Amino acid sequence: MSITRTTHRTVTFFHPTHLPGHDGLLPAGEYEIDTLEKLDLDAPMRRYIALECRVHIWSEKDKSEATNILTVDPQKLEAALALDSDPLRAADRKQMIISHGGQPEDDAA
């Protein structure tokens, strides 16, 4: 028997970013994330394990309905958020943007 739950959160990318499964770069901005988690029945205390994240990609004109839902490994999403927010990794972020066809910003965050 498997017990699952879905959690919801909003994340902000301050720079263009790339997530596996999406061609090119996603623009900076807020994204709605649904995370499917499974209860770890072997843990001594209640603990959930993230199985997958669904990133809602909105239309530029209509923010009321997601036009695409991208399924991403939770570790890949957390790695992208860490790269986006760490000022000491500006060179890595710049290289990622260039490698996916984007133009990096001149002023690093």
Side-chain angles (χ1 to χ4, degrees):
M1 180 173 144
S2 180
I3 299 171
T4 61
R5 70 177 184 186
T6 300
T7 58
H8 181 81
R9 66 181 171 151
T10 302
V11 299
T12 301
F13 284 102
F14 296 99
H15 306 90
T17 193
H18 173 75
L19 293 175
H22 186 269
D23 295 333
L25 294 169
L26 293 169
E30 291 185 342
Y31 291 87
E32 302 291 321
I33 310 291
D34 293 322
T35 303
L36 177 64
E37 301 173 321
K38 174 179 80 167
L39 181 63
D40 183 356
L41 298 174
D42 296 327
M45 299 183 75
R46 182 176 293 183
R47 178 176 83 113
Y48 284 85
I49 301 167
L51 300 174
E52 70 178 22
C53 293
R54 285 170 285 208
V55 181
H56 297 262
I57 302 173
W58 307 102
S59 164
E60 289 296 317
K61 295 178 182 179
D62 183 9
K63 300 284 184 183
S64 65
E65 188 172 329
T67 59
N68 192 14
I69 297 177
L70 178 64
T71 302
V72 179
D73 179 286
Q75 293 177 339
K76 301 282 185 187
L77 177 62
E78 292 306 319
L81 287 164
L83 178 63
D84 181 70
S85 64
D86 189 348
L88 298 177
R89 296 185 63 197
D92 295 336
R93 185 171 49 249
K94 180 179 179 181
Q95 182 58 41
M96 180 272 303
I97 292 170
I98 291 170
S99 69
H100 289 93
Q103 294 293 324
E105 302 149 355
D106 289 333
D107 51 339

